[in-house]
Amino acid sequence: KFQLKMKKIYKDWFRKWHRDIGYLFVGLILSFSISGIALNHRETFDSRDIIYKTEPIQIDIDKISDNLDEDDIENLSTIIGIDSEYYGYDLEDNELRIFYRNTQVNDNLNTGVGQKDFVKRRIILGAMADLHQVTNKWWIWYSDIFGFAMIFIAITGTFIASGKNSFKKRGWFLCYIGLVFPIMFLLFLI
């Protein structure tokens, strides 16, 4: 009888803290989940910026040297008519991308045909995506606390249910299935 009473006390304690810590971090859980999904698809979807206007451009490819460098990019910026702050460029398979504040240039160096994309910040999703890369020491500490809280929520969740829905009867199997997929990806697909 004493054991049953103690088991109920622990189960109630786990349930209470599991619930309250979940409430405390629900905003960050949703933020990381939503922005994490968006970042998983960054090849086809920009979670930080949205293109609101596009203009076609034609670059005279004869004015670009074979060994593209920062001077060439500066000259192109003048030719294209961009006076925004320059961030950098990427060249892959003769596809040139130049990044500026609020503007991005995409151009095919074989043809010179391209476009200027004018971008603005996605207000909510952009901020949520930034949380994944913040390096401020206070944010790192908060993220560590969040990580420990998620470990606590996962562990206490295994003690909450009883009977046919308990971890011993049903939960271990679901937990096993949940572990199989990441392990398969780590071993065979990455």
Side-chain angles (χ1 to χ4, degrees):
K1 193 171 184 176
F2 177 74
Q3 265 185 327
L4 288 174
K5 186 174 182 179
M6 289 306 292
K7 200 173 186 181
K8 182 177 178 357
I9 289 171
Y10 281 120
K11 198 171 282 200
D12 288 345
W13 187 87
F14 284 143
R15 182 177 285 116
K16 179 180 85 170
W17 282 103
H18 179 90
R19 177 199 64 218
D20 290 347
I21 290 175
Y23 288 157
L24 180 66
F25 287 108
V26 72
L28 192 55
I29 292 169
L30 289 172
S31 176
F32 272 15
S33 298
I34 293 166
S35 59
I37 291 167
L39 288 170
N40 281 343
H41 301 280
R42 62 182 154 258
E43 295 295 321
T44 58
F45 175 78
D46 188 343
S47 59
R48 290 185 170 92
D49 297 317
I50 186 168
I51 298 170
Y52 67 91
K53 181 179 165 188
T54 299
E55 291 179 2
I57 59 170
Q58 176 71 46
I59 295 176
D60 183 359
I61 54 176
D62 294 332
K63 293 186 178 182
I64 301 173
S65 68
D66 291 336
N67 298 325
L68 191 69
D69 61 15
E70 295 290 333
D71 290 334
D72 292 320
I73 298 298
E74 192 174 317
N75 290 337
L76 282 175
S77 300
T78 306
I79 293 167
I80 297 168
I82 296 179
D83 58 0
S84 297
E85 181 182 355
Y86 167 72
Y87 288 153
Y89 75 95
D90 181 40
L91 178 62
E92 189 174 316
D93 298 328
N94 279 337
E95 290 291 328
L96 175 64
R97 295 177 77 197
I98 311 173
F99 304 98
Y100 305 91
R101 175 185 291 263
N102 302 326
T103 311
Q104 180 177 309
V105 172
N106 299 298
D107 195 80
N108 182 309
L109 293 182
N110 292 328
T111 63
V113 175
Q115 65 186 35
K116 281 194 284 192
D117 296 328
F118 297 92
V119 298
K120 61 182 175 182
R121 187 85 169 148
R122 290 184 193 272
I123 297 170
I124 296 171
L125 187 57
M128 289 192 303
D130 287 344
L131 291 177
H132 289 274
Q133 295 178 314
V134 173
T135 57
N136 175 293
K137 74 175 186 171
W138 296 108
W139 178 253
I140 290 171
W141 277 104
Y142 182 74
S143 294
D144 288 347
I145 291 167
F146 173 71
F148 286 117
M150 293 302 94
I151 293 168
F152 181 82
I153 286 174
I155 292 170
T156 56
T158 64
F159 292 100
I160 291 175
S162 56
K164 68 179 182 175
N165 294 320
S166 71
F167 187 77
K168 284 182 185 177
K169 301 258 172 113
R170 181 172 178 233
W172 70 269
F173 181 71
L174 295 172
C175 181
Y176 175 74
I177 291 171
L179 288 172
V180 166
F181 286 104
I183 291 170
M184 282 177 33
F185 275 95
L186 283 171
L187 296 177
F188 305 111
L189 301 173
I190 295 181

